[in-house]
């Protein structure tokens, strides 16, 4: 069975400071992992994904995430927060076993960026 | 590329009426589409997996007779909320996975449909 835990429901940072959004996963098989962002009144946008290639994944808008199998983690980071980064972020896991393409969603982390 | 649209973007209806929501993949074919429901400030809850030309697979606890899904073509899936009640008010989101190729790893999401049942 797969599951994903986002360790913080809310994170607040100052503009220009680093961002860390934590995610731990559980999967019986080699998983694919994703981070999605949801801005108010907009659709979900894929930030980045890990699919068994390089463990350090670079995404859009300066975000990156590192897949650490030993820690079962896939934390999202950004060196310097921008006001436009304020949004809801979802960590998502998908098992690569069989043809099941179902995604398992974390509960989300709300990121606030203060001026 | 990989754009998914939903129509309508928001709808208000009276209790007891039915509402149809369309999900279209605009520039790719999607054998599989997914329907999600999202409550305010909560995560997405998968309702059903829609496969072109066959019956949808519903998640546990989702009433298939209440939420009718039709996936008649490789670019269109519809969700009909039948006899809607105020508790059905929610944000409904669809996603689509391109048929074949490397991009089948990724689901592309529509912008969502906000349903308010009075």
């Amino acid at each position: 069975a797969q599951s994903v835990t986002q360790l913080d429901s809310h994170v607040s940072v100052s503009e220009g400071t680093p961002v860390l959004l934590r995610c731990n996963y559980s999967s019986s098989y080699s998983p694919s992992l994703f981070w999605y962002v949801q801005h108010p009144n907009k659709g979900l946008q894929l930030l980045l994904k890990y699919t068994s290639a390089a463990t350090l994944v670079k995404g859009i808008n300066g975000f990156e995430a590192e897949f650490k199998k030993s820690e079962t983690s896939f934390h999202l980071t950004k060196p310097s927060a921008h006001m436009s980064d304020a949004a809801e972020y979802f960590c998502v896991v998908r098992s690569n076993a069989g043809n099941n393409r179902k995604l398992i969603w974390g509960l989300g982390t709300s990121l606030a960026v203060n001026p | 590329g990989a754009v998914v649209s939903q129509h309508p973007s928001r709808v208000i209806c009276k209790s007891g009426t039915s509402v149809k929501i369309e999900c279209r993949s605009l520039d790719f074919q999607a054998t599989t589409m997914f329907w999600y429901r999202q409550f305010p400030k909560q995560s997405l809850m998968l309702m059903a997996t829609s496969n072109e030309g066959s019956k949808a697979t519903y998640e546990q606890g989702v009433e298939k007779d209440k939420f009718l899904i039709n996936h008649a073509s490789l670019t269109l899936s519809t969700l009909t909320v039948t006899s809607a009640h105020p508790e059905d008010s929610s944000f409904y989101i669809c996603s689509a996975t391109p048929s074949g190729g490397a991009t089948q790893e990724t689901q592309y999401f529509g912008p969502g449909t906000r349903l308010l049942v009075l």
Side-chain angles (χ1 to χ4, degrees):
Chain A
Q2 298 82 41
S3 68
V4 60
T5 303
Q6 291 185 242
L7 299 168
D8 307 291
S9 60
H10 184 83
V11 170
S12 182
V13 300
S14 298
E15 189 176 20
T17 64
V19 175
L20 170 64
L21 304 183
R22 298 182 293 167
C23 173
N24 285 99
Y25 71 92
S26 172
S27 179
S28 303
Y29 301 92
S30 178
S32 293
L33 293 157
F34 309 80
W35 276 98
Y36 282 88
V37 61
Q38 186 179 37
H39 287 91
N41 301 317
K42 291 188 178 180
L44 286 155
Q45 183 181 22
L46 178 67
L47 277 178
L48 48 80
K49 63 180 178 181
Y50 166 78
T51 56
S52 77
T55 56
L56 181 61
V57 182
K58 293 187 183 298
I60 61 172
N61 301 335
F63 285 94
E64 63 181 38
E66 186 171 7
F67 173 71
K68 291 187 177 180
K69 187 176 181 179
S70 60
E71 299 176 10
T72 61
S73 69
F74 190 58
H75 301 333
L76 181 70
T77 61
K78 182 173 181 177
S80 176
H82 192 271
M83 296 295 289
S84 61
D85 294 328
E88 191 79 17
Y89 291 80
F90 294 97
C91 181
V92 184
V93 64
R94 197 203 82 171
S95 170
N96 289 327
N99 293 318
N100 185 0
R101 299 180 178 178
K102 187 163 66 175
L103 301 180
I104 307 299
W105 292 74
L107 293 180
T109 298
S110 177
L111 175 64
V113 181
N114 305 309
Chain B
V3 178
V4 175
S5 70
Q6 279 184 242
H7 178 80
S9 59
R10 58 180 63 199
V11 56
I12 301 174
C13 69
K14 292 182 179 179
S15 184
T17 61
S18 295
V19 175
K20 179 185 284 188
I21 303 170
E22 293 185 349
C23 177
R24 293 181 185 273
S25 55
L26 297 184
D27 49 3
F28 65 96
Q29 292 185 331
T31 307
T32 304
M33 291 184 174
F34 301 87
W35 285 97
Y36 295 86
R37 185 172 178 176
Q38 185 181 30
F39 291 100
K41 299 191 181 300
Q42 293 191 24
S43 187
L44 276 68
M45 181 193 78
L46 179 64
M47 298 175 66
T49 302
S50 169
N51 296 295
E52 187 267 337
S54 63
K55 291 183 179 180
T57 303
Y58 290 82
E59 295 300 302
Q60 192 173 8
V62 178
E63 298 176 58
K64 62 180 181 181
D65 294 329
K66 173 124 184 109
F67 299 99
L68 301 179
I69 292 173
N70 183 278
H71 193 156
S73 77
L74 287 172
T75 58
L76 173 64
S77 176
T78 61
L79 168 69
T80 301
V81 183
T82 63
S83 186
H85 290 281
E87 58 265 29
D88 298 324
S89 299
S90 190
F91 194 51
Y92 292 88
I93 304 173
C94 75
S95 71
T97 301
S99 302
T103 52
Q104 64 178 319
E105 288 283 340
T106 303
Q107 290 185 22
Y108 296 93
F109 287 81
T113 297
R114 190 164 300 283
L115 171 64
L116 176 61
V117 184
L118 302 176

